[in-house]
Amino acid sequence: MHTKKKLCLAMTTATLLVNSLSGVSVFAQEIPSQTTSTEQTTNISPRYKYIISADLGLIVDSSGATYDLNVHGIADVTKISGTLTLYKKNSNGSYVSVSSKKISENTDTIDLYGTLTASGRGDYKLTFSGTVSTKNGSETITISETDSY
């Protein structure tokens, strides 16, 4: 019995030695990630029902606060409305409204570019809070962007 153990050990050592000299590479098999159907559904579901995309840009300088608002709805969208509000951070660290603009378009897409009045140097936040409407329902959207001057 003792001889069998020595023979087995010798053969294992010889196999390892031959494999290391011949350049054989061994890799572990990748195990596919295990996800539940709930996680998969959560990852692929859209954030909005009627909105395809929404984007808000802001640049504040001595001329004011230049904005670029884009909201693209699905073909069933009949109206996009809301308010753009420009806030400035005060000495307490709170944002205070300095100007705003109401928006209402009877279309499925808005691409607006314009300027709001700013009030000197500081930290600014621009927020669009609105509603996207269809014949079958509506949903709200709020997006924000910040800039400093």
Side-chain angles (χ1 to χ4, degrees):
M1 182 90 163
H2 188 62
T3 307
K4 286 184 181 181
K5 284 184 180 178
K6 284 185 180 180
L7 180 60
C8 183
L9 181 61
M11 290 182 68
T12 301
T13 303
T15 302
L16 291 173
L17 183 61
V18 168
N19 285 341
S20 66
L21 295 175
S22 65
V24 173
S25 298
V26 178
F27 299 100
Q29 179 182 3
E30 288 188 36
I31 299 172
S33 65
Q34 301 294 320
T35 58
T36 66
S37 61
T38 304
E39 289 171 340
Q40 291 173 345
T41 303
T42 302
N43 291 338
I44 64 171
S45 64
R47 179 175 177 186
Y48 296 109
K49 185 175 181 181
Y50 304 122
I51 301 168
I52 296 170
S53 64
D55 185 53
L56 180 62
L58 173 65
I59 298 174
V60 182
D61 58 22
S62 60
S63 301
T66 303
Y67 65 86
D68 185 11
L69 172 65
N70 305 289
V71 180
H72 299 271
I74 63 172
D76 292 343
V77 169
T78 57
K79 184 176 184 179
I80 301 172
S81 60
T83 303
L84 272 170
T85 305
L86 182 66
Y87 300 92
K88 183 178 181 183
K89 190 182 282 186
N90 65 18
S91 58
N92 297 333
S94 300
Y95 282 99
V96 178
S97 175
V98 292
S99 60
S100 64
K101 178 179 181 172
K102 290 196 180 292
I103 296 167
S104 182
E105 300 285 336
N106 294 319
T107 182
D108 63 353
T109 298
I110 57 173
D111 292 309
L112 298 175
Y113 179 85
T115 303
L116 294 171
T117 303
S119 62
R121 294 189 176 274
D123 297 327
Y124 287 87
K125 176 172 68 170
L126 180 64
T127 300
F128 174 70
S129 294
T131 303
V132 176
S133 303
T134 70
K135 294 176 194 173
N136 300 319
S138 63
E139 64 188 350
T140 59
I141 178 173
T142 301
I143 53 177
S144 295
E145 185 60 66
T146 59
D147 193 29
S148 296
Y149 160 66

